[in-house]
Amino acid sequence: MRYPLIVVLPAGTDLTDLDNVLADVMAPFDENREDIADLPDDQPLTWDRYAIGDRFSGFFPVRAGAERADLIHPRLADGADTHDAVCDGGRIRALDLERKRVNAARHLRTPSAKASAADHSWVALAQRARDTAIPTGAVLTHEGVWLSPGGVRFVTERSGPAYDAFVALANAYLDALDDNTILVLVDCHT
């Protein structure tokens, strides 16, 4: 099974050494560890291999005017407006997280003529799309805490109280981060 993971790295992280930094941060959660028998029962082992972006490449929209040095794997389609640039992560100041949320809500079907934007079910659906646009399968904080619904390794169900609690916690955590903090979208396999 593959799932997206957002890894949060401290503001002082050197992006030119990203592969080594990521390997160190991810190591405690490696299913291939030799000391698995010695781990506490609540230690989540969450991946057997991973890659930056990979199947989920281009997850983050790039903020207009972002510095290339602040981005991880940036790309822009030939002839596309810079507003269409995407990347696999970078410093929060270079990522357009609000656009990611707005686009998630915008991709819902437009309400019919009979249903107005004030229709509570439509408003609730749009808000849920916004809330779930960034928290993905799991979030690994820069403090080394693995956030996921109900203590499982990653999102398997996108509904229910455990998922709602994860989304609320993950959004509150991500929204409180400093603009120099780094987010990396990682494609994990387990």
Side-chain angles (χ1 to χ4, degrees):
M1 172 177 235
R2 293 171 69 175
Y3 64 94
L5 165 71
I6 293 178
V7 177
V8 181
L9 301 174
T13 302
D14 179 6
L15 286 177
T16 62
D17 193 29
L18 182 60
D19 289 335
N20 290 324
V21 170
L22 198 56
D24 288 344
V25 170
M26 298 279 292
F29 306 96
D30 184 354
E31 293 175 358
N32 300 311
R33 291 177 57 172
E34 293 179 11
D35 63 343
I36 288 176
D38 300 331
L39 293 175
D41 290 338
D42 63 348
Q43 170 68 43
L45 296 173
T46 58
W47 60 268
D48 60 12
R49 66 180 187 269
Y50 67 87
I52 297 171
D54 207 22
R55 184 173 78 167
F56 307 105
S57 189
F59 180 82
F60 294 107
V62 174
R63 186 171 290 176
E67 296 290 326
R68 188 172 186 82
D70 287 340
L71 299 169
I72 299 166
H73 304 159
R75 63 185 184 287
L76 177 66
D78 290 338
D81 187 294
T82 54
H83 187 71
D84 295 325
V86 293
C87 63
D88 296 336
R91 298 195 188 282
I92 290 175
R93 67 177 176 234
L95 306 176
D96 197 339
L97 301 181
E98 181 58 20
R99 182 161 42 115
K100 178 82 173 164
R101 290 173 171 142
V102 166
N103 285 345
R106 188 176 292 147
H107 283 112
L108 294 173
R109 290 188 182 179
T110 307
S112 68
K114 292 181 180 179
S116 71
D119 178 16
H120 294 294
S121 61
W122 174 255
V123 171
L125 260 173
Q127 185 60 50
R128 183 159 184 85
R130 283 182 56 83
D131 291 347
T132 60
I134 297 170
T136 53
V139 174
L140 177 55
T141 72
H142 66 79
E143 298 89 1
V145 176
W146 191 276
L147 303 177
S148 60
V152 296
R153 298 182 297 176
F154 47 84
V155 171
T156 54
E157 290 290 326
R158 293 189 174 263
S159 63
Y163 180 69
D164 293 343
F166 160 71
V167 167
L169 177 65
N171 275 316
Y173 175 80
L174 294 169
D175 289 343
L177 293 171
D178 179 86
D179 276 355
N180 290 316
T181 304
I182 298 164
L183 303 182
V184 185
L185 197 284
V186 175
D187 181 353
C188 290
H189 179 274
T190 187

